[in-house]
């Protein structure tokens, strides 16, 4: 059961500490949060709330001191201000302590009353004098329209919780002045089906419902790119946001959940919340049995279902204690997987276990009730994903895209677990401002797929699922490159996984089958073969990050390697006829760690790669 008193005590201390030192001014500029990552290793910098001049990498200890990092610090500080207001409102709702109401009003009124004193600017660092001349992407308090929307949704959720105790003149100002100012900033920037348009619509809708402004509500729910349309056109039939990233799937969901809760509180008809329920269910089925999330395309590394348990808490508020969403939340909370934090726009958690949203909406939620399992093979055909599951293996295959937005060049990439241990995973990426993001994380050679002629995949079109059963799938993608087609077949049994990857072209190509392993090759199996130092012949498109490359110096038709992965061993059997075999080290995410990567190269018109992975329980040990 949620320990309300301990969490409330900690939050009260944090709220009062922040409020005591609160200091802000419209003259302070903000910058894009994605710059707050180490240029060397892509790790999120440490935010020191006491020092806007200190920005240190926790891995390499590099300290960054330019004006840019100070501006990003201010962006994070303002996010913390909004979260502080939300925490204070949750506490005030319970205690009615007047000092908490004062904190809420002091901070929220500062940003609302001074809203148009903040300069109009975008994340590219451009400043504008009017809405007529501004470029798309502008915010005022925050570095872009997206962050502005998140900021004010959190502020207005706080105000909504305690609305009956807010001063009448403040409420009147919001309705008669601020709502128009906020609407004027965002309305011309909602221009397409996209996660940022969703957040802007959600913010406009939240402010509109709160202030009884029909023009804002009408725009959010019935405008040209309204939220009904965003959900109906942007979410695939099987319940995923079209951009193909599990983080952006949840990120988009978050804003909608707030709007759904506001619609619920104001008895506003929002039938499309059924799509939100579908998305929450789909994401649960999509996860590996250990609750780690397959992670293709842009996002954040190493995330799992607990990372987003706060969104499921809002889902229980929206759909009820007896809903399937409640069963899913129980399953997530009871799993022993450790929650992985988000580096930007992060939600508040007490001890990284209990979300502020759970504290606010469902403090009495009982986690010991009925739970829902996620142990079945599931085809997400409209999203170009499939996940095969049995008691030993989980295999996620991504075989297509829905356009270029947030896409990585990773057709036919796979992510695999064996008895809940990760065998290979997608790295996702570091912050967009980090060099390694574009030079490695967004390059084909960082993915477990095939690279042709040392260049990235060029297609961002959908693929095809030709055949599938509970233990088998065949996927295909045409023109991954101009004249290259891919076909990948995966079959799982209790003990083995068979992977066949076929590439066809009109002319001879160099095909590199890459497998990035979470474990390491055992010394015993490595010593069976002769290896010599080598290089891969390419120096860009990600190949420059392959280190200590060794080439197999034996003439053999098959190579068998044993891999130690945590407390288990997995055997890999590779057909090496007419090919070159390499092993190397490649960057993990974060890059203070390395992964052991295997590369098999063939030069021909049609290349077929056959790999078998074997797991035997007797090979494991405690």
């Amino acid at each position: 059961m949620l320990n309300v008193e301990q969490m409330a005590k900690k939050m009260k201390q944090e709220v009062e500490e922040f409020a005591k030192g609160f200091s802000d001014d419209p003259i302070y500029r903000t910058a894009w949060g994605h710059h707050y990552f180490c240029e060397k290793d892509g790790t999120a910098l440490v935010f020191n709330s006491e020092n806007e001049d200190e920005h240190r990498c926790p891995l390499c200890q590099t300290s960054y001191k330019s004006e840019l990092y100070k501006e990003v610090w201010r962006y994070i500080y303002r996010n913390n201000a909004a979260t502080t207001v939300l925490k204070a409102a949750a506490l005030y709702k319970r205690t009615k302590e007047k000092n908490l109401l004062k904190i809420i009003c002091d901070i929220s009124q500062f940003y609302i009353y001074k809203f148009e004193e903040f300069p109009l600017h975008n994340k590219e660092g451009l400043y504008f004098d009017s809405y007529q001349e501004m470029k798309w992407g502008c915010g005022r308090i925050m570095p872009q329209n997206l962050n502005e929307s998140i900021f004010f949704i959190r502020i207005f959720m706080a105000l909504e919780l305690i609305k009956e105790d807010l001063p009448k003149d403040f409420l009147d100002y919001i309705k008669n002045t601020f709502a128009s100012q906020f609407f004027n900033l965002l309305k011309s920037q909602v221009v397409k089906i996209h996660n940022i348009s969703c957040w802007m619509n959600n913010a406009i809708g939240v402010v509109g419902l709160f202030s009884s402004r029909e023009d804002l509500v009408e725009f959010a729910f019935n405008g040209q790119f309204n939220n009904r349309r965003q959900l109906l056109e942007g979410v695939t039939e099987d319940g995923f946001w079209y951009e193909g990233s599990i983080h952006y799937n949840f990120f988009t969901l978050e804003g909608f959940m707030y709007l759904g809760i506001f619609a619920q509180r104001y008895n506003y008809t929002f039938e499309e919340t059924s799509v939100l329920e579908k998305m929450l269910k789909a994401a649960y089925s999509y996860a590996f049995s250990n609750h780690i999330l397959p992670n293709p395309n842009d996002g954040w590394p190493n995330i799992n279902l607990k990372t987003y348990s706060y969104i499921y808490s809002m889902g229980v508020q929206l759909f009820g204690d007896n809903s399937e969403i409640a069963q899913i939340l129980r399953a997530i909370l009871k799993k022993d997987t450790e929650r992985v934090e988000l580096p930007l726009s992060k939600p508040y958690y007490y001890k990284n276990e209990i979300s502020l949203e759970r504290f606010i909406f469902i403090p009495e939620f009982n986690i010991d009730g009925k739970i829902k399992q996620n142990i079945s093979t599931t085809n997400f055909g409209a999203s170009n994903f499939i996940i095969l599951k049995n008691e030993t293996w989980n295999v996620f295959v991504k075989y297509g895209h829905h356009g270029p937005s947030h896409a990585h060049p990773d057709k036919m990439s796979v992510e695999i677990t064996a008895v809940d241990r990760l065998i290979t995973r997608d790295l996702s990426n570091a912050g967009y401002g980090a060099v390694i993001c574009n030079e490695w994380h967004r390059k084909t050679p960082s993915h477990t797929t095939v690279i042709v002629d040392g260049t990235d995949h060029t297609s961002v079109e959908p693929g095809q699922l030709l055949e599938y059963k509970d233990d088998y799938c065949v996927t295909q993608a045409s023109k991954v490159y101009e004249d290259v087609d891919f076909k990948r077949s995966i079959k799982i049994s209790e003990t083995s996984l068979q992977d066949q990857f076929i590439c066809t072209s009109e002319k001879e190509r160099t095909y590199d089958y890459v497998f990035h392993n979470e474990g390491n090759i055992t010394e015993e199996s490595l010593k069976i073969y002769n290896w010599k130092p080598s290089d891969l012949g390419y120096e860009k498109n990600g190949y420059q990050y392959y280190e200590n490359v060794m080439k197999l110096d034996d003439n053999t038709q098959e190579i068998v390697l044993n891999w130690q992965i945590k407390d288990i061993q997995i055997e890999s059997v590779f057909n090496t006829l007419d090919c070159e075999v390499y092993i190397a080290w490649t960057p993990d995410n974060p890059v203070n760690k390395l992964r052991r990567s295997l590369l098999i190269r063939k030069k021909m018109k049609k290349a077929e790669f056959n790999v078998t992975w074997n797991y035997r329980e007797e090979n494991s040990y405690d």
Side-chain angles (χ1 to χ4, degrees), residues 444-462:
T444 303
S446 72
H447 299 86
T448 297
T449 183
V450 169
I451 310 113
V452 179
D453 294 337
T455 61
D456 287 334
H457 298 177
T458 57
S459 169
V460 288
E461 297 300 317

Side-chain angles (χ1 to χ4, degrees), residues 158-334:
L159 298 180
E160 174 62 26
L161 293 176
I162 61 160
K163 189 174 183 179
E164 67 276 9
D165 291 333
L166 292 174
K168 184 179 183 302
D169 59 341
F170 184 33
L171 293 173
D172 289 343
Y173 183 87
I174 290 172
K175 179 175 182 177
N176 299 323
T177 304
F178 174 78
S180 297
Q181 293 174 341
F182 189 64
F183 191 30
N184 288 338
L185 169 66
L186 296 183
K187 62 183 179 182
S188 67
Q189 301 190 71
V190 180
V191 294
K192 60 182 176 180
I193 306 297
H194 193 266
N195 72 83
I196 296 179
S197 290
C198 291
W199 272 101
M200 288 189 284
N201 269 333
N202 289 323
I204 291 168
V206 161
V207 173
L209 288 167
F210 179 90
S211 60
S212 300
R213 283 287 298 267
E214 291 296 330
D215 51 340
L216 276 71
V217 174
E218 176 67 16
F219 182 92
F221 288 96
N222 298 307
Q224 183 181 3
F225 293 98
N226 64 77
N227 268 348
R228 302 181 194 278
R229 184 179 170 191
Q230 296 282 344
L231 286 172
L232 295 176
E233 296 181 26
V235 178
T236 64
E237 291 181 10
D238 40 42
F240 281 93
W241 185 246
Y242 78 95
E243 291 175 274
S245 157
I246 190 61
H247 171 67
Y248 278 98
N249 185 76
F250 278 114
F251 182 61
T252 306
L253 255 172
E254 180 181 354
F256 276 114
M257 299 305 289
Y258 278 113
L259 183 65
I261 288 171
F262 265 81
Q264 184 183 66
R265 293 175 72 93
Y266 284 89
N267 296 314
Y268 187 88
T269 301
F270 186 21
E271 295 177 351
E272 287 74 15
T273 54
S274 62
V275 180
L276 307 182
E277 185 177 22
K278 186 177 185 179
M279 292 174 74
L280 291 168
K281 293 177 182 177
Y284 183 65
S285 298
Y286 165 101
F288 291 126
S289 297
N290 61 10
H291 287 199
I292 291 173
L293 290 161
N295 205 10
N297 300 321
D298 282 344
W300 297 119
N302 310 316
I303 53 180
N304 56 49
L305 284 167
K306 272 189 181 171
T307 302
Y308 302 101
S309 62
Y310 70 105
I311 296 176
Y312 282 95
S313 292
M314 289 193 282
V316 174
Q317 167 65 26
L318 201 53
F319 302 111
D321 282 350
N322 297 318
S323 67
E324 194 171 319
I325 305 306
Q327 296 176 28
I328 291 173
L329 178 59
R330 292 189 190 100
I332 293 171
L333 296 177
K334 290 173 76 70

Side-chain angles (χ1 to χ4, degrees), residues 495-514:
T495 58
S496 68
L497 183 160
Q498 295 176 335
D499 178 16
Q500 181 190 66
F501 203 129
I502 299 173
C503 312
T504 57
S505 175
E506 298 172 357
K507 58 184 178 182
E508 182 178 282
R509 298 282 200 172
T510 298
Y511 298 101
D512 288 345
Y513 171 100
V514 177

Side-chain angles (χ1 to χ4, degrees), residues 382-497:
S383 302
N384 287 257
F385 305 141
I386 186 169
I387 187 164
L388 306 177
K389 294 180 181 179
N390 65 19
E391 291 187 1
T392 304
W393 301 96
N394 284 190
V395 184
F396 172 83
V397 185
K398 175 199 169 182
Y399 54 89
H401 296 80
H402 285 279
S405 183
H406 290 294
H408 286 195
D410 60 347
K411 283 279 199 306
M412 294 296 169
S413 62
V414 296
E415 298 182 56
I416 302 170
T417 68
V419 287
D420 284 344
R421 282 74 165 177
L422 278 168
I423 305 302
T424 187
R425 82 189 201 285
D426 196 298
L427 299 178
S428 191
N429 50 265
Y432 301 154
V435 172
I436 198 167
C437 175
N438 290 321
E439 288 189 354
W440 175 243
H441 297 145
R442 285 173 165 172
K443 292 295 182 180
T444 303
S446 72
H447 299 86
T448 297
T449 183
V450 169
I451 310 113
V452 179
D453 294 337
T455 61
D456 287 334
H457 298 177
T458 57
S459 169
V460 288
E461 297 300 317
Q464 292 178 285
L465 179 63
L466 301 181
E467 182 181 354
Y468 90 96
K469 299 178 182 178
D470 284 349
D471 62 350
Y472 178 68
C473 72
V474 182
T475 57
Q476 178 176 285
S478 301
K479 297 189 181 303
V480 179
Y481 298 80
E482 183 179 5
D483 66 333
V484 181
D485 299 336
F486 284 175
K487 184 177 181 181
R488 192 166 199 170
S489 304
I490 304 284
K491 183 174 177 58
I492 57 175
S493 69
E494 184 177 341
T495 58
S496 68
L497 183 160

Side-chain angles (χ1 to χ4, degrees), residues 290 292 418-423 517-520 563-570 619-622:
N290 61 10
I292 291 173
V419 287
D420 284 344
R421 282 74 165 177
L422 278 168
I423 305 302
N517 203 299
E518 296 297 303
N520 197 10
W563 302 76
Q564 190 69 45
I565 303 169
K566 293 188 176 180
D567 58 342
I568 67 170
Q569 283 191 12
I570 301 290
N619 287 336
S620 64
Y621 60 90
D622 295 328

Side-chain angles (χ1 to χ4, degrees), residues 334-348:
K334 290 173 76 70
K335 195 74 170 178
D336 59 4
T337 307
E338 183 178 354
R339 180 177 180 270
V340 175
E341 282 195 307
L342 300 170
L344 293 179
S345 298
K346 62 178 64 179
Y348 177 83

Side-chain angles (χ1 to χ4, degrees), residues 327-374:
Q327 296 176 28
I328 291 173
L329 178 59
R330 292 189 190 100
I332 293 171
L333 296 177
K334 290 173 76 70
K335 195 74 170 178
D336 59 4
T337 307
E338 183 178 354
R339 180 177 180 270
V340 175
E341 282 195 307
L342 300 170
L344 293 179
S345 298
K346 62 178 64 179
Y348 177 83
Y349 273 74
Y350 172 64
K351 294 185 175 180
N352 200 34
E353 294 179 358
I354 304 169
S355 68
L356 178 57
E357 287 74 13
R358 184 179 167 197
F359 181 93
I360 292 171
F361 298 118
I362 53 169
E364 304 302 321
F365 183 69
N366 183 2
I367 70 169
D368 294 323
K370 183 178 179 181
I371 67 171
K372 179 177 174 61
Q373 302 292 340
N374 74 332

